[in-house]
Amino acid sequence: MYNSPLHIDAEGYYGRFGGAYIPEILHRNVEALRQAFEKYSEDADFNAEMDRLLRDYVGRPSPLYRADRLSDYYGTNIYLKREDLNHTGAHKINNAIGSALLAKRMGKTSIIAETGAGQHGVATATVCALLGMDCTVYMGATDVARQQPNVERMKMLGAKVVAVESGNKTLKDATNEAIRHWCCHPDSFYIIGSTVGPHPYPEMVAKFQSVISREMRGQLKEHTGREEPDAVIACVGGGSNAAGAFYHFIDSPGVRLIAAEAAGHGVESGETAATIHCGTEGIIHGARTLVMQTEDGQIVEPYSISAGLDYPGIGPLHAHLAATGREKVVAVSDSQALDAALRLTRMEGIIPALESAHALAVLDMMHFSPEEIVVVNLSGRGDKDLHTYLNAYK
Ligand SMILES: *Cc1c(COP(=O)(O)O)cnc(C)c1O
């Protein structure tokens, strides 16, 4: 196994979270994936191909930008990691490229994916067009209706979009359906959009996103003379952009890791997606983790203004980092995120994704001193959220 700083054990557990709770029919698939990931993740040719695409196609390294006006306003040193400038507008393309390249090495030609807001669907459809692979994206019917531009993008890119009519018709249901399809078509390769799902997915997606903190170290050294900041802040839906932003700092106790989860209308309101605050231990989509559920194990529908954060589970890595106190978790409400988004827009001329705005809002909720260096992972751009913003601010 390659040398991961995430402290995972051989069965895919981070502490007591993780593992692979899957139907018998998928065992061979998941085992083949585990072996392929182990083989290629440290393979020089594989990594050279990935690095070339990240550089020439995605546009990496993404800049680390010192936000001067924001820094003055908050009285500290704020740097933004600009994942919003990646091709397709967010960090998700990093994982889509790594996963699709792995699929190709395994001889797979057909890709399936789930999507909520459509960002992961677009990233996957993009990479499938790039590599000439067949692509089917499962999306809840409610999301298909409210995320039309991303649905149209996926279609333009040649993907088949399947509207899922079960349950609440959102991300959880799309994921269930993708897993169901995978069970019937074990020859296809399932690209999961976050650090969730059965082992090895959480580890694999974190590895593919770890380029974010790898770049940060070098860029911080250039800007500030030191490789390690005092704090890194990232939003968590399933936890992939945060995993990427934290990865190379996990074993650096001087770096505070701060995760912003979506409180929706508030953690006590019943309309929330703050899984780490409100969840209890259970199994969702193949992993033991924290889940928003009733006492008898029914999933409680999550709510957040941000479609990319309303997931009723959390990646097992984050459940573990939170349980051990390595990661501090802050619950950010819709209105706090909206305020932070407008502040960044008006002070820096950057319209953030609503998801990323949850990370920015932490600056209003925690104090940092004038000497401290704080990096906020700007996971994506806000074009897709303009409609929501304009409705909220009027
Ligand atoms: C999907 C998405 C997220 C949430 O997913 P994670 O796996 O938690 O990173 C955050 N930001 C943006 C811009 C997204 O598209």
Side-chain angles (χ1 to χ4, degrees):
M1 193 70 184
Y2 76 93
N3 192 13
S4 163
L6 303 185
H7 313 292
I8 195 170
D9 74 12
E11 267 74 56
Y13 283 88
Y14 307 88
R16 59 182 195 278
F17 302 106
Y21 297 81
I22 47 171
E24 188 65 37
I25 190 164
L26 287 179
H27 276 188
R28 266 184 47 203
N29 261 38
V30 170
E31 178 56 21
L33 175 65
R34 198 190 60 73
Q35 287 179 14
F37 173 57
E38 197 168 309
K39 175 172 172 198
Y40 288 113
S41 63
E42 296 298 279
D43 179 85
D45 281 350
F46 180 86
N47 283 310
E49 191 176 1
M50 173 133 182
D51 287 347
R52 181 183 70 84
L53 287 177
L54 289 178
R55 187 188 66 213
D56 300 342
Y57 187 73
V58 175
R60 302 202 73 92
S62 66
L64 183 74
Y65 164 68
R66 186 180 192 281
D68 287 344
R69 295 189 67 206
L70 211 61
S71 295
D72 283 349
Y73 178 84
Y74 287 109
T76 188
N77 299 287
I78 297 167
Y79 288 84
L80 304 176
K81 182 61 172 159
R82 300 291 308 275
E83 293 300 297
D84 61 313
L85 295 177
N86 292 341
H87 181 43
T88 68
H91 66 291
K92 290 209 172 69
I93 190 93
N94 304 326
N95 169 52
I97 285 189
S99 298
L101 285 179
L102 192 62
K104 219 173 105 186
R105 298 282 168 128
M106 292 173 74
K108 307 274 186 176
T109 55
S110 169
I111 300 290
I112 58 171
E114 84 296 334
T115 199
Q119 293 301 102
H120 174 57
V122 168
T124 303
T126 297
V127 174
C128 286
L130 173 72
L131 299 177
M133 299 170 105
D134 196 61
C135 182
T136 304
V137 178
Y138 289 86
M139 188 170 187
T142 306
D143 290 333
V144 169
R146 65 182 176 184
Q147 308 287 342
Q148 266 306 310
N150 275 343
V151 174
E152 282 155 9
R153 250 172 233 135
M154 288 185 264
K155 288 185 174 160
M156 174 92 189
L157 288 159
K160 184 173 157 214
V161 180
V162 179
V164 174
E165 298 286 350
S166 58
N168 221 33
K169 307 179 188 182
T170 59
L171 176 59
K172 159 182 69 66
D173 313 295
T175 308
N176 287 339
E177 203 53 41
I179 293 174
R180 207 165 294 144
H181 174 101
W182 196 26
C183 289
C184 307
H185 305 86
D187 283 345
S188 52
F189 187 100
Y190 180 19
I191 301 187
I192 297 187
S194 190
T195 42
V196 301
H199 177 63
Y201 278 105
E203 188 72 6
M204 186 171 92
V205 176
K207 176 82 194 308
F208 290 146
Q209 294 293 358
S210 69
V211 63
I212 299 173
S213 50
R214 191 173 81 210
E215 289 174 1
M216 271 183 201
R217 290 191 85 101
Q219 291 170 322
L220 277 167
K221 176 101 184 159
E222 258 175 50
H223 279 281
T224 69
R226 42 186 266 218
E227 275 189 19
E228 294 185 353
D230 296 286
V232 182
I233 307 173
C235 65
V236 287
S240 71
N241 86 87
F246 296 171
Y247 195 94
H248 290 288
F249 300 114
I250 284 177
D251 286 332
S252 305
V255 183
R256 278 189 284 163
L257 307 177
I258 302 163
E261 60 176 4
H265 293 147
V267 287
E268 310 287 347
S269 69
E271 289 177 293
T272 182
T275 307
I276 303 177
H277 280 84
C278 303
T280 52
E281 280 187 48
I283 290 165
I284 185 168
H285 299 139
R288 169 168 290 279
T289 184
L290 296 172
V291 183
M292 298 214 307
Q293 57 188 338
T294 60
E295 267 172 31
D296 48 7
Q298 298 298 311
I299 301 291
V300 174
E301 292 297 340
Y303 162 80
S304 162
I305 192 170
S306 158
L309 300 181
D310 65 352
Y311 182 65
I314 178 72
L317 165 67
H318 292 288
H320 174 65
L321 291 176
T324 55
R326 178 65 189 96
E327 151 179 320
K328 179 178 169 60
V329 184
V330 179
V332 175
S333 71
D334 289 357
S335 63
Q336 288 168 320
L338 288 166
D339 287 350
L342 192 58
R343 181 159 301 123
L344 184 74
T345 303
R346 295 291 167 84
M347 296 193 83
E348 298 287 349
I350 299 170
I351 303 175
L354 255 169
E355 292 84 357
S356 321
H358 286 71
L360 291 161
V362 171
L363 297 169
D364 289 313
M365 304 163 74
M366 288 176 70
H367 179 74
F368 298 98
S369 74
E371 299 77 44
E372 284 187 298
I373 294 167
V374 181
V375 180
V376 180
N377 196 41
L378 205 66
S379 54
R381 67 176 84 125
D383 310 29
K384 66 183 177 55
D385 300 313
L386 274 186
H387 190 70
T388 310
Y389 283 142
L390 293 176
N391 270 333
Y393 298 137
K394 75 178 175 220

